[in-house]
Structure formats: structure tokens, C-alpha cells
Amino acid sequence: MAKAIIVGGGIGGLAAAVALTRRGWDVEVLERATTIAEVGAGLSLWSNALRALDALGLGDQVRARAIEQNSAGIRDSKGHWISRADTEAIRTRFGSPIMMHRADLLDILRAALPETALRTGISVTSANPDGTVTHSAGTAEGDLIVGADGLRSVVRRAVVGDITPRYRGYTAWRLIVTPTEPLADLGETWGRGERFGYAPLSDGRVYCFATANLPAGTSGDGLAELRRRFGAWHAPIPALLAAAEESAVLKHDLYDLPDLKTYVAERIALLGDAAHAMTPNLGQGACQALEDAVILARVATEDPTLTRYDTLRRPRTQMLVSRSRHLGTLAQLSFPPLVTLRNTALRLLPTSTQANSLSPILDWTC
């Protein structure tokens, strides 16, 4: 039986483990954290990700713990529409995206694996293209090494050397709120160098996220800063922030990766953020990791050289890194004349433009 060592127990790593296990591989997942959990974050899964989850046999379980996401569009800070989404056209053409808590997806993926497949509290220090991994509990060897260890991947060094992630100029806050009144709709609001978005979850809670242009590493005061920045924006933003708790606020600077020259080296393959970390502007980070997992399992089973995995995944994912970066640049504009120009241009775009722009992203099949 072929053996796979997967470094990283996030969405991409666990999905790869499920995909490989179901193709007859013996799988060992090495995760640095002592427990696998991610709190405070919602997750959009578009139709391409749902196809990948269907290929893993998990699509129905995921849908059962999610809520359909029908974005109303983008507003300015006073609540005036900048861009309206044609949700019916998107649903008809691609299927509706869903929103769920990230921890729920991790639970589903983990439950699909044998208990013995996951080893937590293991820090990987190096990987070699010959299929060996050195870690805090010793060494491991496999026919396939999967680098699913995120933005600052250790495994990536064995494939392309040291790569410096690029700070994109803005930071993000994420939090889960229990609102005082039910919230049915969702949306995103663009200001001047700032954004705020919100989306209901299936259990009645609301996932909120915000961004602001700041130097990397800037400290803040959590919820108080969010209330100062966004407390006077249109409803329901002030009410959501009033209902929020300080302990729920997560803050992270946003980075992406420059284009790697390859995702593979002999027995090593990179997936997810280790290969193509992207900003969250397209909602495709987790979606692309799920695609990676399905394609890698198929290719590795059929072709141990892994070349076809690189050919299939690198152009697509690097295109999305670029598109997400450019969208973020547009959304984070802060110079007032450019903000006015941006908002005016978006108001003039026909609603069909949005659906057409989604086609290269969502028209993906396993």
C-alpha cells in the first residue's frame, strides 16, 4: 500500500488525507497544533468547492451544516448601493455558494478519516524530495509528501527554496457575533481604505469581517477599534458590533505568495496556502485547497512523477492569486477621488458582468 505523509491538518491537509484514503493510500497527517480547531471564522464555499467535496463524498454533510449564501452586493458606508448582485443569474448558472463555520468543515473532514491517521503536536522541521520528513517525534517516510502547512510552509523550502510572502497593505479582523435580532441578508460595504462584511450562519450567529489599510504588524485594541472605525456605518453594522464580544475578535495581516516556479519536487507536492496563499477577496482560498486535494489524490495514484498535478493546478491557482490581489487593491482604495471614480464605475456596470467574471473561477470540474 502506498504511503502519504501530509504536513498540516488544516482544510487542505485533511481534504487531501480523505481523498488519498479513499483511493487506497495509507495516510499520516502531521499537525503542529495539539488540537485541530479554528474558532471565530466563517467560510464561503462556492460551487467549485462543493464539486470537490462531492468528489470526496462529503458534499451532502457539508450542505446540511451550512446556509445558502445569496450576496446582495456592495454598498458604501452610508448604505447606498455600489453594485447589486444578480443572485438568480448566479444561482442558475453556477449554483449558490454556501456559508458555514470553518470549524464545522474541519469536523466533517476529520470524521471522515481513521482516528490513527492524525498525529497532533508534531512539528515538522524539514522535508526532502526523496520522501523523508524530519519532525519533533522523529522521522517519517512516504511515497508522497504533501506540503499543506500554510503560508510559511516548511515543506515548501524543499521544493522552491525560501520564499518571502508579500504583505498586501491591509489587515483583517474576523469575529462571530450572536445578534440581538435575526439577520437574514448578507453584504459587503466599501469605504475609503476600509471594508466591512457580514453573513448569517446556519445556527443564527453572524460571521463578520473587516479590513483596513495599515502597516504590517500594527497593534490595535480589538473591538474598540472596530467600533471606532465602523460604528457609524449603515445598519446593521453598528448593532452587530454592539453585540460582539472582545474575546471573539481575531486580527491578521493579509499576505499572498509570489508565483512559484513549480508545486512539485520528486515525491513532494504543495497544496493550499503552502503553494498559492491568496488574499480572501474572492473567497477562494479554502475552495482552491479542496480542488488541490481532489486533483492531487487522482494524479498521485495514476502518476507518481506528479508533473500533471503541477500542470493542472499551478496556472489556475496563480491566476486566482493575481485576481484576488487586484480586487483587493480596488476595494482598499483610500484617495477620495479614486474612491468616487471606483464607485461610479461599479454602479454603471451591468449585472451580467459579475456572472461573466465568475465563470473562469466557478466553471471547474474534477
Side-chain angles (χ1 to χ4, degrees):
M1 180 184 292
K3 176 70 177 287
I5 307 297
I6 299 175
V7 182
I11 290 172
L14 292 179
V18 173
L20 288 162
T21 298
R22 295 191 173 181
R23 287 183 175 268
W25 289 67
D26 177 23
V27 171
E28 183 177 4
V29 181
L30 306 177
E31 167 55 39
R32 180 176 57 184
T34 55
T35 59
I36 292 184
E38 185 155 354
V39 297
L43 178 68
S44 293
L45 294 174
W46 290 80
S47 54
N48 55 316
L50 292 174
R51 291 189 198 100
L53 287 162
D54 286 336
L56 296 177
L58 301 175
D60 289 343
Q61 292 182 54
V62 169
R63 291 179 181 91
R65 295 175 70 171
I67 187 171
E68 188 173 297
Q69 177 184 337
N70 292 312
S71 176
I74 302 170
R75 307 184 198 204
D76 65 21
S77 61
K78 295 181 179 180
H80 301 138
W81 290 105
I82 298 173
S83 174
R84 298 294 298 268
D86 189 341
T87 55
E88 186 57 37
I90 293 172
R91 181 188 297 110
T92 299
R93 186 167 174 181
F94 306 112
S96 295
I98 60 173
M99 172 67 66
M100 69 187 305
H101 199 290
R102 187 176 292 261
D104 288 340
L105 178 57
L106 288 170
D107 285 344
I108 291 169
L109 292 168
R110 184 174 51 213
L113 290 171
E115 289 187 10
T116 55
L118 179 61
R119 298 180 63 188
T120 57
I122 304 294
S123 297
V124 170
T125 55
S126 67
N128 295 293
D130 65 1
T132 58
V133 171
T134 303
H135 54 74
S136 54
T139 60
E141 184 174 355
D143 302 285
L144 171 66
I145 306 300
V146 180
D149 49 341
L151 176 70
R152 305 192 185 277
S153 169
V154 171
V155 178
R156 187 173 61 231
R157 290 202 299 265
V159 178
V160 291
D162 289 323
I163 298 293
T164 302
R166 304 174 298 192
Y167 180 55
R168 298 323 313 180
Y170 49 104
T171 197
W173 295 264
R174 300 175 297 162
L175 61 158
I176 302 291
V177 175
T178 302
T180 56
E181 297 183 3
L183 182 68
D185 67 342
L186 70 156
E188 188 168 334
T189 300
W190 291 7
R192 295 175 179 175
E194 297 175 324
R195 283 180 283 167
F196 194 99
Y198 53 90
L201 299 172
S202 60
D203 60 4
R205 294 181 299 169
V206 177
Y207 169 55
C208 299
F209 62 91
T211 65
N213 294 344
L214 289 170
T218 301
S219 60
D221 50 2
L223 188 55
E225 181 176 0
L226 288 175
R227 289 170 175 165
R228 284 197 305 271
R229 288 181 178 275
F230 305 104
W233 285 25
H234 67 81
I237 296 171
L240 290 171
L241 290 174
E245 298 182 1
E246 181 67 47
S247 60
V249 179
L250 303 174
K251 179 177 181 289
H252 297 95
D253 292 338
L254 296 180
Y255 292 79
D256 65 15
L257 284 180
D259 289 349
L260 306 187
K261 63 182 180 180
T262 182
Y263 290 174
V264 302
E266 297 182 30
R267 295 187 181 185
I268 298 179
L270 304 175
L271 64 70
D273 284 354
H276 46 72
M278 61 186 71
T279 54
N281 302 299
L282 292 174
Q284 280 291 314
C287 299
Q288 291 307 303
L290 291 167
E291 287 186 18
D292 289 345
V294 171
I295 298 302
L296 176 58
R298 188 180 75 208
V299 170
T301 302
E302 298 171 354
D303 178 10
T305 66
L306 302 176
T307 303
R308 190 154 57 94
Y309 171 73
D310 182 63
T311 301
L312 290 171
R313 298 306 301 157
R314 189 158 50 90
R316 172 169 169 77
T317 53
Q318 290 178 351
M319 176 271 290
L320 291 173
V321 171
S322 177
R323 287 186 61 158
S324 187
R325 180 173 65 249
H326 291 312
L327 179 58
T329 298
L330 181 69
Q332 294 296 135
L333 288 174
S334 59
F335 184 50
L338 290 179
V339 171
T340 300
L341 180 62
R342 174 198 68 192
N343 292 358
T344 300
L346 288 175
R347 288 188 179 104
L348 294 174
L349 285 176
T351 56
S352 60
T353 301
Q354 184 183 40
N356 291 334
S357 70
L358 289 172
S359 181
I361 304 171
L362 304 184
D363 281 339
W364 175 86
T365 55
C366 300

